[in-house]
Amino acid sequence: MAPGKRPNFLIVLADDLGFSDVGSFGGEINTPNVDKLSKNGIRFTDFHAAAACSPSRAMIMTGTDHHIAGLGNLVEWTNVSGQNDPNGTMSTAVQRGMPGYEGYLNERVAALPEVLRDAGYLTLMSGKWHLGLTPERSPRARGFERSFAHLPACSNHFGFEPQLEDADSIPEFMTMSFIALHSEDGEYVRKLPENWYSSNGYGDKMVSYLRDWKEGGDDRPFFGYLPFTAPHWPLQAPQEYIKKYRGVYDDGPDALRAKRLQRLKDLGMVAQDVEPHPVVAEETKQWNEMSAEERANSCRAMECFAGMVECIDANVGKVTDYLEEIGELDNTFICFLSDNGAEGAAYEAYPIVKSTVLQHLQKYYNNHIDNLGNGDSFIWYGPRWAQAATAPSRLYKAYTTEGGVRVPYVMKPPARFAGGFEAGGVTHQFATVMDLAPTILDMAGVAHPAPTYQGREVVPMRGKSMVPYLEKKAESIHDKDFINGWETCGRAACRKGDWKIVFIPKPKGPERWQLYNLARDPGEVHDLAEKEPERLAELVKLWDQYVLETGVVPLSPDLGKWMAAMEEQMPENAWIEYEYWKDGARDDPAKFTREIPRFQRQVKAI
């Protein structure tokens, strides 16, 4: 490495990966490449994202809170209230068109790739974007020089689309979950490559971009972003990966949970006496209540999930092996993380799914056990397997409990920043995805442009650089009594140091603020709200401040100054710019692209 050479950066992001799924975090899934990063880097046990995917991606790309950056909620959940709250009691209408809920990375932020590009970095992306569907919102428009981007939340990993009979239509719940809509360098991709599988495609494309960089003699350092769509449902993977896990999960999710917890203890990642939160899955059968056929299908779903994770790892290896081959690995910051906790929704229990989706799947997909994992299958694995992966934490994705927001994070710093810690070590430092952008800019020697960028006002980053901690110039990344807030689809939390309040609506919570000491009770088992009313009141006040600072639009009066929806916000399924799922939309995108109304609100200081 030449003296003074600036480091490269590579962020690898998995989609709905659980805390203990990879080997170096206690999992039984074969992940040698992520494990190698762990061996040469440092693992975090108290690293946090948002409770759902696009909010986390917005924070990674900007270093600030997702309610500021335009993804206050998933636009799919704002668009249709029944996807945000299957019980139908918490409408998202009040969020529609509001600042911070645009559904794309808005103009109030400078994106990390924009800042790095302007500072002389080559910026590359391959994988899931989920921060805007139109060319004006694409990765190219936000600073990526080269990009192959999956634009929506999820899709069929093999690119399979059923051919409907004349009178049939795609159920509303599935309209945005089966079409693999991509763009390359800002232009919509008309046809995916032959033999497409998402993780392989993204890994291959990133290697091709890096090869073009190396062989083209480009002397700029690079910033690479490799966000996979796996292991998000539908659970699909090449069979050669799935078949490796035959029989591994035959004892069921409770047995897996116990094994994973023990391995986490053995690795020193949780305390020996940790009390895990009880499994919460009243909408599904317990393992001993299932028939033999139901158990077999459930195990196969978990086998498919494991195959997806191993395939991610193989593609991480493609990229890191190439970097090693060209002599760039040591000078590259690499991190691996998940965008939220494991996905535990029992969609079969959602009214919006029961009414139409299950019949559609039965007619147009083949969910026979021998076909599961193939492109014409469509399954998820449910809350019990998810809570095997989030243990000892409470609940899973979409909840602001630790099971929804605590994620695995591995960081291998570039060589010049690696001297201050023990390779292969574990840290219990609190950090969040908002800390990535400040850390990367610090290592690159680049200042954030706030308060203005390209002639517009932009917000500063809320995250903190990890560099002082890595260089042993600071004892921690955040102050001891740091304050951090979370909110997604009406579930909320606020943390000050070891203390955390959580608001979970019914039926998964009591629909009131609960109080936990995470140092003593990381599983969020023992609610101390009644025993510590003054501390509860202090944290609720801090929550109110978080709402004020970030622009949260509360979905419940318990979460702050609640507003009734305006008449203009009431229409359902009318808040997404590009309706790409409609007939003819991909042939004529402009015809199916609309301008979404944007409103303003006044929030007074506390």
Side-chain angles (χ1 to χ4, degrees):
M1 184 177 75
K5 184 178 178 181
R6 292 194 292 175
N8 308 307
F9 300 97
L10 177 65
I11 298 175
V12 183
L13 184 65
D15 194 351
D16 293 357
L17 184 79
F19 185 78
S20 63
D21 281 326
V22 299
S24 54
F25 279 76
E28 70 296 325
I29 301 173
N30 183 40
T31 55
N33 295 293
V34 173
D35 296 349
K36 185 177 179 181
L37 289 176
S38 299
K39 183 179 179 181
N40 295 318
I42 184 168
R43 286 163 288 167
F44 284 64
T45 65
D46 200 15
F47 192 89
H48 291 76
C53 39
S54 56
S56 291
R57 292 159 200 274
M59 294 197 290
I60 290 169
M61 285 291 101
T62 66
T64 195
D65 191 275
H66 60 98
H67 297 91
I68 296 170
L71 282 301
N73 200 346
L74 276 73
V75 69
E76 297 84 359
W77 294 353
T78 305
N79 184 54
V80 177
S81 290
Q83 294 211 21
N84 182 85
D85 176 18
N87 298 305
T89 60
M90 193 173 279
S91 170
T92 54
V94 70
Q95 296 177 340
R96 294 169 185 160
M98 285 297 183
Y101 292 82
E102 293 87 355
Y104 53 82
L105 211 59
N106 65 24
E107 65 279 1
R108 298 173 66 196
V109 292
L112 178 60
E114 292 177 312
V115 179
L116 288 172
R117 176 201 60 196
D118 295 352
Y121 271 76
L122 172 66
T123 51
L124 310 171
M125 177 193 165
S126 180
K128 176 176 168 179
W129 179 237
H130 202 194
L131 298 174
L133 292 168
T134 66
E136 296 77 18
R137 321 291 185 202
S138 69
R140 183 175 182 84
R142 298 313 299 256
F144 282 106
E145 187 171 329
R146 300 300 316 275
S147 61
F148 189 86
H150 180 281
L151 299 176
C154 61
S155 70
N156 190 291
H157 293 277
F158 289 96
F160 168 81
E161 295 183 26
Q163 301 305 301
L164 303 185
E165 296 178 1
D166 289 343
D168 289 348
S169 61
I170 300 295
E172 182 179 78
F173 178 83
M174 290 187 67
T175 54
M176 289 171 275
S177 62
F178 77 100
I179 296 173
L181 180 70
H182 286 76
S183 71
E184 185 159 24
D185 298 337
E187 301 289 333
Y188 292 119
V189 174
R190 299 286 299 178
K191 189 176 187 301
L192 289 170
E194 293 295 320
N195 302 314
W196 173 260
Y197 177 71
S198 62
S199 298
N200 290 335
Y202 303 139
D204 290 344
K205 182 63 73 169
M206 181 57 75
V207 171
S208 75
Y209 287 160
L210 290 169
R211 184 172 283 114
D212 289 346
W213 165 70
K214 179 65 176 178
E215 295 178 357
D218 192 334
D219 61 359
R220 291 176 294 173
F222 73 83
F223 167 71
Y225 181 43
L226 183 59
F228 293 94
T229 52
H232 194 297
W233 55 264
L235 302 183
Q236 301 166 331
Q239 286 293 335
E240 62 263 30
Y241 290 107
I242 296 171
K243 289 178 179 178
K244 292 182 180 183
Y245 296 92
R246 288 288 189 271
V248 171
Y249 302 108
D250 286 359
D251 291 338
D254 293 335
L256 179 64
R257 194 172 198 248
K259 291 176 184 175
R260 294 255 188 111
L261 266 173
Q262 185 56 53
R263 280 196 288 270
L264 285 169
K265 292 176 183 179
D266 294 343
L267 290 168
M269 303 186 84
V270 301
Q272 291 292 327
D273 61 351
V274 67
E275 182 179 0
H277 195 281
V279 171
V280 181
E282 68 284 345
E283 68 273 48
T284 64
K285 292 181 180 179
Q286 295 190 44
W287 190 248
N288 60 12
E289 297 171 338
M290 291 182 178
S291 68
E293 181 181 3
E294 288 171 329
R295 288 187 185 187
N297 278 283
S298 183
C299 288
R300 187 60 51 87
M302 184 62 206
E303 292 165 13
C304 293
F305 180 91
M308 296 176 84
V309 175
E310 182 170 340
C311 189
I312 288 173
D313 184 85
N315 282 282
V316 171
K318 284 180 189 175
V319 178
T320 55
D321 286 351
Y322 181 70
L323 291 175
E324 188 168 27
E325 177 188 326
I326 63 174
E328 292 286 347
L329 186 61
D330 284 351
N331 190 41
T332 301
F333 167 100
I334 303 176
C335 67
F336 175 88
L337 69 157
S338 180
D339 59 348
N340 44 247
E343 165 66 286
Y347 286 108
E348 67 275 14
Y350 280 35
I352 195 173
V353 173
K354 286 194 290 187
S355 59
T356 56
V357 172
L358 297 182
Q359 298 93 314
H360 177 81
L361 295 180
Q362 188 172 15
K363 182 172 184 178
Y364 288 106
Y365 291 81
N366 178 4
N367 281 344
H368 185 277
I369 189 169
D370 293 332
N371 194 61
L372 295 183
N374 291 334
D376 60 344
S377 67
F378 198 108
I379 57 170
W380 47 88
Y381 72 174
R384 297 187 184 277
W385 293 112
Q387 287 172 92
T390 61
S393 300
R394 177 186 178 190
L395 290 170
Y396 40 79
K397 175 185 176 178
Y399 292 93
T400 50
T401 53
E402 290 297 284
V405 298
R406 188 176 73 131
V407 298
Y409 178 72
V410 178
M411 178 174 63
K412 184 202 78 66
R416 76 177 67 176
F417 295 97
F421 70 94
E422 180 183 352
V426 172
T427 180
H428 304 297
Q429 282 289 313
F430 174 83
T432 82
V433 291
M434 288 186 290
D435 300 330
L436 291 181
T439 300
I440 288 169
L441 291 178
D442 195 353
M443 289 182 175
V446 177
H448 189 274
T452 60
Y453 179 69
Q454 295 184 345
R456 67 180 191 271
E457 291 186 11
V458 296
V459 298
M461 297 182 292
R462 288 174 69 91
K464 299 289 186 183
S465 171
M466 300 182 193
V467 170
Y469 174 72
L470 290 174
E471 294 184 330
K472 299 279 188 170
K473 295 177 181 177
E475 293 184 359
S476 62
I477 298 166
H478 291 265
D479 294 340
K480 182 179 179 182
D481 287 330
F482 66 86
I483 298 163
N484 200 81
W486 292 265
E487 189 276 338
T488 304
C489 54
R491 295 107 186 222
C494 187
R495 181 171 167 181
K496 179 182 180 183
D498 292 333
W499 290 90
K500 181 183 176 186
I501 55 170
V502 177
F503 182 92
I504 304 297
K506 297 175 181 177
K508 297 296 184 184
E511 210 156 311
R512 60 170 174 78
W513 286 111
Q514 297 172 287
L515 174 68
Y516 300 98
N517 183 315
L518 294 182
R520 298 196 292 264
D521 181 23
E524 295 171 319
V525 179
H526 302 289
D527 178 12
L528 302 176
E530 292 186 3
K531 292 183 178 179
E532 299 255 12
E534 292 182 1
R535 195 181 298 274
L536 174 67
E538 176 194 9
L539 281 160
V540 171
K541 184 76 171 177
L542 291 172
W543 161 260
D544 290 338
Q545 185 65 36
Y546 170 73
V547 170
L548 179 69
E549 290 177 3
T550 62
V552 173
V553 176
L555 294 182
S556 165
D558 298 286
L559 297 180
K561 187 172 176 56
W562 188 77
M563 302 176 297
M566 301 180 292
E567 184 176 347
E568 299 92 329
Q569 295 175 298
M570 296 309 291
E572 292 275 306
N573 203 12
W575 302 91
I576 293 179
E577 287 190 302
Y578 175 31
E579 297 178 309
Y580 65 92
W581 58 91
K582 292 189 172 179
D583 290 342
R586 283 175 282 170
D587 295 323
D588 189 359
K591 185 178 178 181
F592 292 85
T593 300
R594 58 188 170 186
E595 187 173 344
I596 303 300
R598 295 177 68 168
F599 309 116
Q600 294 295 325
R601 65 183 182 134
Q602 298 296 324
V603 180
K604 295 181 180 179
I606 297 171

